[in-house]
């Protein structure tokens, strides 16, 4: 028996069980195990048919993504050779499919002569989500069994389809038989294999016809759809090409074409970015010194202090997950206002058909409000979202310390204050943690979990699990001003301001970075979030860090009362009730005047320089954050930016992008920017970690 595929004989049926936890990824050893099993079965005269299945919670999650970009993924037997060995087996091969059957796992199943499915199993070709396409025949075989349109939908979306949905469409034959239940699968697959053991010739999917009655029109339509949806990604359009080839070329030619597209996509930066994202997302939930088996505290009831912008959104997350919430405020009016906003948000979803009436009612039934701390006595987790003032936080945490039950987790949503100081207001600093949600808290995926000096490991483990339950991407940050995300964005904003001083308009800066792929440039973003927030922070900083260099334009803008969309004017002009950013003559004039006071002759700044200065400013601060241990891995920083700040997904996050550019080149650019007298040379002193990695020719890991 191979380590990763077991071989057993039951009567006249050989069973090959892929066994490569967690999802039976088709790594080299598993592929070898399957081929060995097939040879053994074919050599054994007592064996009449072969069943391939998967151990544990998956048939197979597909190719082993960890092998991508290494020699192992191509090493023989590669997935093609495995599928050839299945097709060429002299004895029938039956795939017994349950739970998860994805990517290369589905391609393997499609190479089998027969397929028996367990109800509820999820079938998908998710390769597109990794920036590639199915590379082991999926684009050629799936259309032959489920039809061209259904197959293309699955391949372009990558979304899983439940087995019963596939079986329900007439004429489709992905499954030759469905087992009565998942538990019955093994037994029924054996019986099915015995029943077809002598049938010849052996059926092969490759021999089925593949046609679309109006192919040209359909593929043209599909191409247009895909172009609109996936503008930054090459893979979806290639999926259309590959499936079209299935309808127009001989099977072997289509297969070769698919292979060529697959290999080309594998080497694109977009695919590298998506693969990085796949692993970074999963790695983010793992904390180096908090083992995965750390016991977690039970979270049944949640308290939220403050029913403002954040408190309301935070509460909704828990209500959506079926967890009861009690909100506490100082005044009944504030509670009423908060609850009304929650209702308004839900009602908008009901109106759009995104939420059913009964679900809405269920959620509201989980919500209670109070003016008294006594009502938080039995809460397992209490999240504070009151005004951003240390004095107010102190009063709240002292009260929480007095009433919360032992073991309750006390969390603060503070965005700038020191979590260790907040923890010190209590006699249980080990139970205090930061949970920094992003606005709107019911929508944004990111949650920065701020780990205080004394935060207990089981508190962290619990909060990470809670985050998963409320569908957030949680990233752990140490305590520092701004944590990971806002500390970095400050450097980015600083550069955006200098660019104005040197000759750019806000719209030029926004356009350049939006072309790079950001959802919104810094000035449109400022107008949306409110320019007064940064203004207040800068006023505070002026006392704490008087030497910090800034463009004064942002302060001048606020002095004009232009706080952004909420005041109808910011870096841009806005028409009543509309969000379109209209370039503002008044603002451009203000910027010009300011340049005069600085005696600066405006220069033409290239889009490339704009992008590099904004992005590398993030990278340098990110490197410092890593060095200081505020973030434990560079992927965490990327996750913060991808899920909380609109960093373009196809670039993989600031740290991954820097590695793609080459850290040596990044350091060179920083040294160049430091020469600019208008800039802040100290900000461009490259972080020692960056210098070290660049010198070693390494990337962020
Ligand atoms: N290869 C290697 N590891 C994989 C993997 C794969 N294909 N799929 C999942 N894993 C690992 C994850 O990294 C994670 O590892 P960890 O515990 O060490 O962090 C573990 O399996 C569990 O994954 P999830 O946390 O995602 O668990 P879920 O239960 O939520 O989801 C899943 C399971 C639906 C299988 C999901 O992991 C998934 O969608 N995986 C990706 C599947 C995929 O993209 N397959 C296509 C691969 S490309 C291919 O097949 C190429 C071929 O066409 C030639
Ligand atoms: P907000 O002003 O909208 O809401 C604060 C609420 O707290 C008000 O309803 C107020 O009545 C209530 N409150 C004040 N003192 C209280 C007390 N002692 N007891 C109970 N309730 C009290 O403020 P917002 O924007 O919701 O911010 C709350 C916290 O979240 C702050 O710490 C802020 O820094 C943080 N935060 C804000 C983000 C944002 O984008 N608005 C993003 C992330 C964090």
């Amino acid at each position: 028996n191979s380590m990763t595929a077991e071989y057993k004989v039951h009567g006249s049926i050989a069973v090959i069980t892929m066994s490569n936890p967690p999802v039976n990824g088709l790594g080299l050893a598993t592929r070898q195990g399957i081929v060995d099993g097939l040879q053994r079965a074919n050599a054994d005269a007592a064996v009449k048919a072969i069943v391939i299945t998967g151990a544990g919670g998956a048939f197979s999650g597909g190719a082993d993504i960890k092998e991508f970009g290494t020699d192992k993924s191509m090493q023989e037997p590669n997935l093609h050779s495995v599928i050839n060995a299945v097709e060429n087996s002299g004895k029938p091969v039956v795939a017994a499919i349950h739970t998860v059957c994805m990517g290369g796992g589905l391609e393997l199943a499609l190479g089998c002569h027969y397929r028996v499915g367990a109800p509820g199993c999820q079938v998908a070709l998710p390769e597109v989500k990794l920036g590639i396409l199915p590379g082991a025949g999926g684009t050629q075989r799936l259309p032959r069994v489920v039809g061209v349109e259904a197959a293309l939908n699955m391949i372009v979306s990558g979304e899983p389809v439940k087995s019963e949905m596939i079986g329900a469409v007439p004429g489709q034959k992905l499954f030759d038989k469905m087992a009565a239940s998942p538990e019955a699968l093994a037994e029924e697959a054996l019986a099915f294999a015995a029943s077809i053991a002598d049938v010849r010739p052996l059926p092969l999917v490759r021999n089925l016809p593949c046609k679309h009655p109006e192919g040209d029109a359909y593929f043209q339509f599909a191409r247009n759809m895909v172009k609109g949806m996936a503008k930054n990604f090459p893979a979806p359009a290639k999926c259309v090409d590959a499936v079209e080839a299935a309808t127009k070329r001989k099977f072997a030619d289509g297969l070769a074409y698919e292979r060529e597209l697959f290999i080309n996509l594998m080497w694109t930066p977009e695919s590298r970015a998506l693969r990085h994202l796949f692993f970074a997302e999963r790695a983010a939930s793992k904390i180096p010194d908090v083992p995965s088996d750390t016991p977690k505290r039970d979270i049944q009831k949640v308290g939220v202090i403050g029913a403002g912008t954040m408190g309301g959104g935070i509460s909704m997350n828990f209500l959506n997950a079926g967890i009861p919430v009690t909100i506490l405020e100082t005044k009944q009016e504030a509670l009423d206002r908060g609850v009304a906003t929650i209702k308004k948000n839900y009602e908008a979803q009901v109106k759009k058909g995104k939420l059913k009436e009964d679900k809405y009612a269920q959620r509201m039934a989980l919500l209670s409000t109070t003016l008294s701390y006594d009502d938080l006595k039995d809460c397992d987790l209490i999240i504070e979202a009151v005004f951003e003032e240390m004095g107010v936080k102190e009063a709240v945490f002292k009260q929480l310390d007095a009433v919360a039950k032992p073991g309750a987790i006390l969390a603060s949503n503070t965005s700038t204050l020191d979590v260790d100081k907040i923890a010190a207001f209590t006699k249980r600093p080990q139970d205090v943690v930061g949970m920094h949600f992003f606005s709107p808290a019911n929508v944004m995926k990111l949650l920065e979990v701020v780990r205080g000096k004394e935060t207990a490991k089981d508190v962290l483990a619990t909060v990470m699990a809670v985050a998963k339950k409320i569908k957030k991407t949680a990233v752990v940050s140490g305590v520092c001003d701004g944590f990971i995300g806002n500390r970095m964005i400050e450097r980015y904003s600083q550069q955006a301001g200098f660019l104005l001083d040197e000759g750019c308009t806000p719209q030029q800066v926004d356009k350049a970075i939006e072309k790079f792929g950001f959802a919104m440039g810094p000035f449109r973003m400022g107008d949306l979030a409110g320019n007064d927030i940064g203004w207040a922070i800068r006023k505070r900083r002026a006392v704490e860090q008087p030497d910090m260099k800034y463009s004064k334009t942002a302060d001048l803008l606020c002095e004009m009362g232009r706080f952004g969309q909420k005041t109808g004017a910011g870096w841009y002009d806005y028409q009543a009730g509309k969000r379109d950013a209209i370039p503002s003559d008044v603002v451009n004039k203000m910027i010009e005047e300011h340049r005069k006071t600085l005696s600066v002759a405006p220069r033409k700044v290239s889009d490339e320089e704009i992008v590099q200065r904004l992005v590398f400013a993030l990278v340098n601060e990110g490197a410092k954050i890593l060095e200081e241990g505020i973030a434990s891995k560079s992927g965490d920083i990327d996750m913060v930016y991808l899920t909380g700040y609109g960093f373009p997904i196809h670039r993989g996050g600031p740290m991954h992008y820097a590695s793609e550019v080459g850290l040596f080149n990044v350091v060179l650019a920083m040294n160049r920017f430091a020469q600019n007298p208008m800039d802040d040379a100290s900000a461009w002193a490259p972080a020692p970690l960056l210098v070290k990695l660049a010198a070693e020719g390494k990337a962020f890991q």
Side-chain angles (χ1 to χ4, degrees), residues 456-532:
K457 290 185 181 179
D458 66 333
V459 168
L460 282 170
T462 305
V463 170
M464 297 308 275
V466 165
K468 194 164 184 185
K469 208 162 189 183
I470 61 173
K471 300 201 170 78
K472 297 290 172 196
T473 303
V475 174
V476 176
S477 170
V479 175
C480 68
D481 198 344
F483 312 128
I484 297 173
N486 286 341
R487 174 169 159 185
M488 285 166 67
I489 207 73
E490 204 167 308
R491 292 298 173 180
Y492 168 97
S493 307
Q494 184 191 26
Q495 286 301 317
F498 290 152
L499 286 163
L500 298 186
D501 288 351
E502 287 172 47
C504 295
T505 59
Q507 44 279 18
Q508 190 197 349
V509 175
D510 281 353
K511 264 210 186 117
I513 198 78
E514 285 163 16
K515 215 165 110 204
F516 176 77
F518 264 86
M520 227 183 258
F523 298 108
R524 285 215 289 145
M525 191 66 208
D527 278 359
L528 180 69
N531 298 307
D532 51 321

Side-chain angles (χ1 to χ4, degrees), residues 22-23 61-66 68 79 100 102-104 107 126-127 130 132 134-136 262 278-279 282 286:
V23 299
D64 189 337
I65 309 171
K66 294 194 184 82
F68 285 9
L79 198 47
V100 168
M102 293 187 176
E107 293 176 298
E127 284 85 345
L130 300 172
I132 53 176
F262 172 81
F278 180 87
F279 288 116
R282 284 158 182 80
K286 301 188 179 83

Side-chain angles (χ1 to χ4, degrees), residues 274-487:
L274 289 174
R275 274 140 51 197
H276 168 67
L277 171 61
F278 180 87
F279 288 116
E281 192 173 5
R282 284 158 182 80
S285 61
K286 301 188 179 83
I287 312 168
D289 63 333
V290 180
S292 59
D293 58 358
T294 304
K296 294 175 190 67
R297 300 186 190 179
D298 197 20
I299 305 297
Q300 305 263 6
K301 273 198 77 179
V302 171
V304 173
I305 320 276
T309 312
M310 295 306 289
I314 292 169
S315 301
M316 288 176 75
N317 288 311
F318 291 96
L319 301 176
N320 297 349
I323 301 169
V325 175
T326 304
I327 310 188
L328 178 142
E329 265 284 355
T330 46
K331 295 206 180 72
Q332 188 59 41
E333 300 89 82
L335 278 178
D336 294 343
R337 221 177 310 123
V339 173
T341 308
I342 293 177
K343 279 190 172 159
K344 201 182 81 198
N345 285 335
Y346 278 137
E347 274 155 21
Q349 290 179 21
V350 171
K351 233 186 192 158
K352 285 188 204 148
K354 285 188 183 164
L355 179 68
K356 295 233 168 70
E357 280 282 355
D358 57 334
K359 274 260 166 76
Y360 167 38
Q362 275 169 23
R363 289 180 190 180
M364 288 310 293
L366 292 170
L367 179 64
S368 48
T369 59
T370 184
L371 297 170
S372 154
Y373 276 85
D374 253 6
D375 290 330
L376 301 181
K377 270 200 314 246
D378 56 347
C379 286
D380 306 295
L381 165 66
I382 304 173
I383 305 172
E384 163 278 311
V386 301
F387 300 140
E388 187 74 341
E389 282 166 37
M390 204 45 122
V392 187
K393 307 281 188 201
E394 175 172 4
V396 168
F397 275 81
K398 284 194 164 145
Q399 260 155 314
L400 286 179
D401 195 22
V403 299
K405 70 180 184 188
I409 296 176
L410 310 180
S412 172
N413 182 48
T414 180
S415 34
T416 55
L417 300 176
D418 183 339
V419 172
D420 288 327
K421 265 192 199 148
I422 295 178
F425 297 137
T426 72
K427 289 187 225 46
R428 37 175 132 176
Q430 73 282 0
D431 295 338
V432 177
V433 65
M435 286 178 81
H436 185 217
F437 289 84
F438 287 70
S439 181
N442 54 319
V443 178
M444 295 295 289
K445 291 289 285 178
L446 178 61
L447 174 65
E448 280 181 329
V449 173
V450 185
R451 178 178 191 169
K453 254 196 331 266
E454 309 213 24
T455 308
K457 290 185 181 179
D458 66 333
V459 168
L460 282 170
T462 305
V463 170
M464 297 308 275
V466 165
K468 194 164 184 185
K469 208 162 189 183
I470 61 173
K471 300 201 170 78
K472 297 290 172 196
T473 303
V475 174
V476 176
S477 170
V479 175
C480 68
D481 198 344
F483 312 128
I484 297 173
N486 286 341
R487 174 169 159 185

Side-chain angles (χ1 to χ4, degrees), residues 141-221:
R141 288 193 181 87
L142 191 63
R144 286 177 156 80
V145 293
V146 304
V148 172
E149 295 194 12
L152 186 60
N153 282 343
M154 283 176 69
I155 293 167
V156 165
S157 72
E159 285 301 308
V161 180
K162 279 256 173 78
S163 52
E164 30 295 35
M165 302 295 290
I166 293 180
V169 181
Q172 296 184 353
K173 8 184 175 5
L174 182 55
F175 293 106
D176 298 280
K177 184 179 166 62
M178 282 306 277
S181 68
E183 296 71 34
L185 176 70
E187 201 65 29
E188 291 196 37
L190 284 177
F192 179 84
S195 75
I196 51 80
D198 299 322
V199 176
R200 295 293 183 279
L202 293 172
L204 286 179
V205 168
R206 66 160 71 211
N207 294 334
L208 297 172
C210 188
K211 284 267 165 308
H212 192 287
E214 287 148 78
D216 289 338
Y218 170 70
F219 285 107
Q220 190 53 46
F221 163 77

